């Protein structure tokens, strides 16, 4: 009879510990760790959508509404005029005084954000970071 009691007790311990492991695994299946152990219906609502950018901000690419006359464009040595796009890096040769547009208001452009500058490339103007040359906007066809 001792054997039957011992077997029953051992079965109860194994069953109880399996239940604890299963419920812990079930709780963690909703996320990646204890911080996410709540079921999906108990999760907080996602944050509200960000408001759209202000209408005065430039899109990644836009066609100029008006064209301006400017001196003849000569590409930097070793480069040729090309179409730039958002996310590309403009070489340092373009970020010199010869190509940076400092009179932006004369061409209907807003003041560039801090750390950015307008750079002419052919008939286009590119808004690029001063230090890295990362392009954030292209205004196509601004110059004749």
């Amino acid at each position: 009879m001792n054997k039957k009691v011992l077997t029953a007790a051992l079965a109860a311990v194994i069953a109880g510990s399996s239940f604890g492991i299963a419920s812990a695994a079930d709780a963690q299946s909703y996320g990646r760790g204890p911080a996410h152990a709540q079921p999906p219906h108990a999760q907080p609502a996602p944050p509200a959508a960000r408001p759209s950018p202000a209408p005065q901000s430039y899109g990644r690419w836009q066609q100029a509404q008006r064209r301006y006359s400017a001196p003849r464009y000569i590409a930097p040595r070793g480069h040729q005029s090309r179409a730039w796009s958002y996310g590309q890096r403009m070489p340092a040769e373009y970020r010199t005084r010869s190509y940076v547009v400092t009179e932006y208001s004369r061409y209907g452009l807003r003041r560039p954000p801090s750390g950015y500058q307008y750079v002419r490339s052919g008939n286009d103007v590119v808004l690029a970071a001063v230090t890295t040359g990362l392009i954030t906007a292209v205004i196509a066809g601004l110059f004749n």
Side-chain angles (χ1 to χ4, degrees):
M1 192 119 170
N2 249 349
K3 222 176 195 183
K4 284 185 178 182
V5 173
L6 188 59
T7 305
L10 185 59
V13 168
I14 290 172
S17 64
S18 313
F19 177 73
I21 291 171
S23 63
D26 187 43
Q28 288 187 357
S29 69
Y30 291 114
R32 296 181 182 255
H36 300 284
Q38 299 175 354
H41 65 276
Q43 293 289 333
R50 285 184 162 175
S52 60
Q56 72 269 14
S57 65
Y58 289 118
R60 292 180 177 181
W61 187 93
Q62 69 181 36
Q63 184 68 39
Q65 299 299 313
R66 183 174 169 199
R67 296 176 68 96
Y68 295 88
S69 294
R72 184 171 175 245
Y73 177 80
I74 300 171
R77 177 176 233 132
H79 297 278
Q80 56 186 337
S81 184
R82 61 172 275 193
W84 294 97
S85 63
Y86 173 85
Q88 293 179 324
R89 290 193 189 278
M90 191 159 244
E93 293 84 8
Y94 282 92
R95 294 177 276 149
T96 61
R97 288 186 339 153
S98 303
Y99 302 98
V100 173
V101 178
T102 55
E103 298 176 351
Y104 44 86
S105 60
R106 176 179 176 190
Y107 300 113
L109 300 169
R110 289 183 297 280
R111 181 184 183 121
S114 179
Y116 290 85
Q117 62 189 0
Y118 292 109
V119 180
R120 182 177 178 192
S121 176
N123 293 336
D124 304 337
V125 171
V126 172
L127 180 63
V130 173
T131 55
T132 63
L134 185 67
I135 297 173
T136 56
V138 177
I139 298 113
L142 189 69
F143 298 111
N144 287 326

